[in-house]
Amino acid sequence: MAAEAIASSDVVSGDMIFEPVLEEGVFRFDCSASDRQAAYPSLSFVNGKDRDTPISTRTRPSYTPTFQCVRGQQIVKLEFPAGTSLYGTGEVSGQLERTGKRIFTWNTDSWGYGTETTSLYQSHPWVLAVLPNGEALGVLADTTRRCEIDLRKESTIQFTAPSSYPVITFGPFTSPTAVLVSLSHAVGTVFMPPKWSLGYHQCRWSYDSDKRVREICRTFREKGIPCDAIWMDIDYMDGFRCFTFDKERFPDPKSLAACLHLNGFKAIWMLDPGIKHEDGYFVYDSGSKIDVWIQKADGTPFIGEVWPGPCVFPDYTQSKVRSWWASLVKDFIYNGVDGIWNDMNEPAVFKSVTKTMPESNIHRGDDEIGGCQNHSYYHNVYGMLMARSTYEGMKLADKDKRPFVLTRAGFIGSQRYAATWTGDNVSNWEHLHMSISMVLQLGLSGQPLSGPDIGGFAGNATPRLFGRWMGIGAMFPFCRGHSETDTIDHEPWSFGEECEEVCRLALKRRYRFLPHIYTLFYMAHTTGTLVASPTFFADPEDLTLRKLENSFLLGPVLVCASTLPDQRSDKLQHALPKGIWQSFDFEDSHPDLPSLYLRGGSILPLGPPHQNIGESKPSDDLTLLVALDENGKAKGVLFEDDGDGYGFTEGQYLLTNYDAELQMSEVTIRVSKSEGLWKRPKRRLIVKILLGGGAAIDTWGMDGEDLQIAMPSEAEVSNLVSASKEKYKIRMESAKLISDAEKASEHKGVDLSQTPIELKSSDWALKVVPWIGGRVISMAHLPSGTQWLHSRVEVNGYEEYCGTEYRSAGCTEEYSVVERSLQHGGEEESLMLEGDIGGGLILQRKLTIPKDNPKIFKIDSKILAGRVGAGSGGFSRLVCLRVHPMFTLLHPTKSFISFTSIDGSKQEIWPESGEQFYGGNLLPNGEWMLVDKCQGLALVNRFNVEEVFKCFIHWGTGTVNLELWSEQRPVSKQSPLAISHEYEVIKIP
C-alpha cells in the first residue's frame, strides 16, 4: 500500500507505506517498496518471517508515520493527540513518563549512571503511547543500529537511525496490556523461570573465597532471613579466565555446590565474553582452533583489554560459535553451577574512549540474522546473542532443568533467554526512587524479569536507605542485593538490628507472595502479560495516575512505597485508582515497609514464609486473601507445578481458578475451574475476607471443597475495622525505627547528583566535585582509554587531608571555586579551589593542564593560615598536608610501584608488601610510578622532594594509594605547607 514521497537533491520525505503483518492491528511501515526489500532480517522478532510476510485484513492503520531520509539517516516521526503519555524505551534512567526525554540505543557500560544518562546497558527501540482515552499503541523501530529516540516534543515519537529500517506499530488497542500482549507475539515472552530464582539472591563483588560464601549462607539460616541463591562474581576465576576456578580460594566448586544445595541455596557464577588471549588456556585454544573470534577490519582477531588483560571475543553472530560456547557452558554446569551471570557483554572493553570495541570490527554472522557486518550493526545484540548461547548451553547440560541466566546487556527480545538487572546503580535515595520506574520501564518494553541492585551497587548504603530499599525490592520481580568492591558489607544484617528486622519482614513478605508471583510469571510466559506494571494500568483513562513513580501493581496488588528519607510509608497519602482497594498486611507493617492494597474483585493466593523455596511443599497451607467488589464477587488464579523442568508444557501442572460470591450474608469460596494433569494436593485452605482498614474475617477447610463464611453485620464490621486501625496505629508507634544517621559517606546530606567540573586536554579528562572535598573523581587518560582513579562521587578518588589521620579535615568540606579557566580549546586549563578546614585554616588546591605540555597535569596544594588568632602567636594547630589518591588496579597481580630512592637504591613494591612508609634516604627521589605490566603503562607521579617528608603505599582490594605527606607542623601566614606534584602516563617495555 503506497504513499507519495517527495524527493529533493539530498532529502527524500513523505508518508511511509504499510502492510499488515503478524496479526490484526499490527502494521509494518517502510519508506518505499525498495526499502522494504532491502531491509535487514529482524533480530527482535522470534520469527523474522512474521515481520516480512503480509497478512490479509481490511483494517487500516490509525496513525501513519512520516519519514525523512537525509545523509544516510532515516528519521521517522509519529504524532498523537495532545495529552498522550509516552513510556517504554527499555532500560533508561530518570522519569517514568518519558515526554521531554531523548535517549540513544547503544549498549554502554554505565557505572554510576545518573538521571540524564542517555545510553545504558540495553537497547529497546520501542515506545508505548497511551492515548488520552486509555487506548494504547506501541511503536518498534526494528533496527539493531544506534538509534536516537526523541520524545522531547509532546505527544510525538521520533526515531533516527541509519537507513533503512522498518517501523512496526501495534494497535491502537483498548488497553496498554493488549499492546504488550501483541508485542509478545512478535518478540516473544519471558522464559519460564525456575521457581527458586524468584526467591532472594545475595551477591557481592566479591565473596572472595568459598569459606566466605559458606559463612554468608550460614548466617542467613542462623538469622532466619529467607534466601535462595548466592552469587560468585569474577574473582572466583583463575586470573579472570572464564570457565576456571581459582585453585586457592575456590579449590573444589563441586563440594561447595553440594554444601550450598544441602542448605537450600543455589549457586550462580559469572561468565564474561572477554576470553584471555593466552596460548595454553583451553578456552582460547579451542576457540582459536575453530576460528570463533571477532575480527578487526584486517581479518585478524580483535584483542581488547578487559579483566584478564588482553582478550579476544566470541562472535556469537555465528551458529557454530554459539554451539561452541554452549558446549563450554554445558561442561561448566557439571561443577554444580545452578545459574549463570553474563556480565560485561555490551561488550565492555577497557582502555577505550568508547568503552567498547571499534565499530569497524567484523562479525561473520549467519545469513539469517544479517550476514557479515561490522560491529556497529551487531553491537546492540551482542549481549542478547551471548545470553542465548548461555541459555542453550544450560539446556544441553540438563533438559529437565530450566536455565537461569542473568544478562547485563540486552536487546528487545532478550527476555526469551535471560533476566536482567538495572546495572551499576548508586547507593542514594535518587536511585532508590528511580529503581521503581526502571523496573516498570523494562516490563513495558517486553522484559518483565528485572530488578535493581538492592541497596545500590556503587557507594555505601545507610541503614535507613538499605532497609527502605529492601522493603521495595522484595516486591520486585527479580530480587537481588549486590554491592561493589571496597564498600562496607551490604548483607541484610550489616546495618544494625532495626534494619535487619525490616529486611527479615520484607523478605518474609516476598516468600508469602511467591505463589502469586510464580503465577504471574506463568501468565507472562504463556500470554505476554506483565508481572509488575505502573499504577495507571488499573485505570488507563485516569490521567492523574500516569506519572506516579512511588507505587506499582503486582497483578491486583498495589504496592505503595516511600522513596524519600524522611517520609514514612504510613504517613503517605496513597493515590489509589478508582474502585475498591482493601489494605492488608501480615501483622508486619512497619514505617519503612511499603503499604499493600488488594483490588476489589480479586483473590490473592499466598503461602507460608519459608527460609527458601526448597522448603515449600504442595501440602503446605494455602491462604486465599479475598477482596470483594461492589457486586460481592471476587476471582483469582493459582499456577502450580514442580517449579522446574518442562513438565508443565506436557500438562504436568495444576491451574486453579477460585471464585468468591456473597449471597444472603454468606460468602462462598469455590474452585470454579481447574486445568492440568496434577492432582490437587491434600492441604488446608485458609480464607481471609478483607473488610476494610486491614480488618478481616477468616475460615478454613480443605482445598477443593466449597467453603462458606458468614459476613458480620455492618456494626460488627465497623467495630472490626476500628479495632484493626487501632492495632495498626499501635504497631506503627511501637515499631523500632531504623536509625536516620546518614554516616556511610562520611558527609551528611551530600548531593551526589550535581555536575562535576571538567578539565580536558588531548591526553587527560579530569572531573572535579567542589561540593564534596574538592575531590577529583575522574582521571581518564584518553590515548590509552584508562581510568586511573577508583572513585565514587562522595568518597575515594583524589582527596587531600590536613592531618595524618585517615579522612581528617579536608576531604569532605565544601570547596569554593576561586579561579577558573576552562578553555577546552588548546589553551591552558586550570581550576583553583579553597576549602575551610577549621581553626582559621584554608586548604587550597590548583589543578592545571599546561598549554605547552598537555600530557601532564599539575596539582599545587597548600594549607594556608587565613584567620589564625594572635593569641596563638599567629600559628595554627599541628597540621600535615596528606595527598591521598586511590588508584584502580585493573590487574592487581601484575601491578607494582617502582622508584629510585634518594640513596640510589631501586625499589619495586608489590601488593603482597602491605602498607609501607618511605622517608629519609629511602624517599623516592622526586618520582615514583604505578606500573601495570599487562597494559604496558605506568602512571608517573613527580613531586618536589623539598616539600614531601614521606611517602605511603596502601594496597586495597583492586586499589592502591600512593600518598605524599608533608612534614607535620603549625602554619602561619608566612609559612604555609605546600606540595606541588604532577601526573603523566608513559609506556613501558
Side-chain angles (χ1 to χ4, degrees), residues 263-428:
N263 288 281
F265 285 92
K266 303 294 185 181
I268 301 176
W269 306 74
M270 176 182 283
L271 288 177
D272 290 348
I275 299 302
K276 187 172 179 65
H277 181 263
E278 179 182 66
D279 289 330
Y281 167 36
F282 76 97
V283 180
Y284 175 75
D285 290 345
S286 67
S288 297
K289 184 176 181 179
I290 62 172
D291 190 21
V292 304
W293 312 123
I294 295 171
Q295 296 180 343
K296 296 188 293 186
D298 64 7
T300 61
F302 168 74
I303 299 174
E305 189 88 7
V306 203
W307 296 112
C311 287
V312 287
F313 296 80
D315 185 0
Y316 300 109
T317 66
Q318 302 178 61
S319 57
K320 74 167 186 179
V321 179
R322 294 194 298 274
S323 296
W324 166 79
W325 183 267
S327 68
L328 290 169
V329 169
K330 176 185 175 182
D331 292 342
F332 189 59
I333 295 299
Y334 297 144
N335 290 289
V337 172
D338 299 297
I340 292 179
W341 175 14
N342 288 160
D343 196 25
M344 304 289 288
N345 55 341
E346 292 73 31
V349 177
F350 298 157
K351 301 184 187 178
S352 168
V353 175
T354 64
K355 297 185 178 182
T356 192
M357 61 180 58
E359 295 184 33
S360 59
N361 278 359
I362 300 299
H363 296 261
R364 292 162 288 164
D366 299 331
D367 289 342
E368 59 266 27
I369 66 171
C372 186
Q373 300 279 353
N374 64 25
H375 184 67
S376 65
Y377 179 84
Y378 284 119
H379 173 83
N380 284 336
V381 297
Y382 186 81
M384 178 174 76
L385 293 173
M386 180 187 184
R388 172 183 170 182
S389 307
T390 305
Y391 179 87
E392 290 170 349
M394 292 195 72
K395 288 191 76 171
L396 283 175
D398 192 336
K399 63 181 178 59
D400 294 324
K401 286 187 177 180
R402 299 174 203 159
F404 179 77
V405 179
L406 184 81
T407 185
R408 189 167 80 173
F411 189 69
I412 190 164
S414 60
Q415 72 280 348
R416 303 192 293 265
Y417 314 111
T420 195
W421 85 107
T422 60
D424 295 343
N425 59 359
V426 179
S427 291
N428 65 26

Side-chain angles (χ1 to χ4, degrees), residues 235-285:
D235 294 291
Y236 79 84
M237 301 177 189
D238 178 10
F240 306 129
R241 296 172 183 85
C242 286
F243 302 102
T244 69
F245 299 89
D246 186 281
K247 292 179 175 59
E248 294 183 2
R249 292 179 290 110
F250 289 87
D252 190 349
K254 289 184 179 179
S255 175
L256 174 61
C259 174
L260 295 178
H261 294 164
L262 186 64
N263 288 281
F265 285 92
K266 303 294 185 181
I268 301 176
W269 306 74
M270 176 182 283
L271 288 177
D272 290 348
I275 299 302
K276 187 172 179 65
H277 181 263
E278 179 182 66
D279 289 330
Y281 167 36
F282 76 97
V283 180
Y284 175 75
D285 290 345

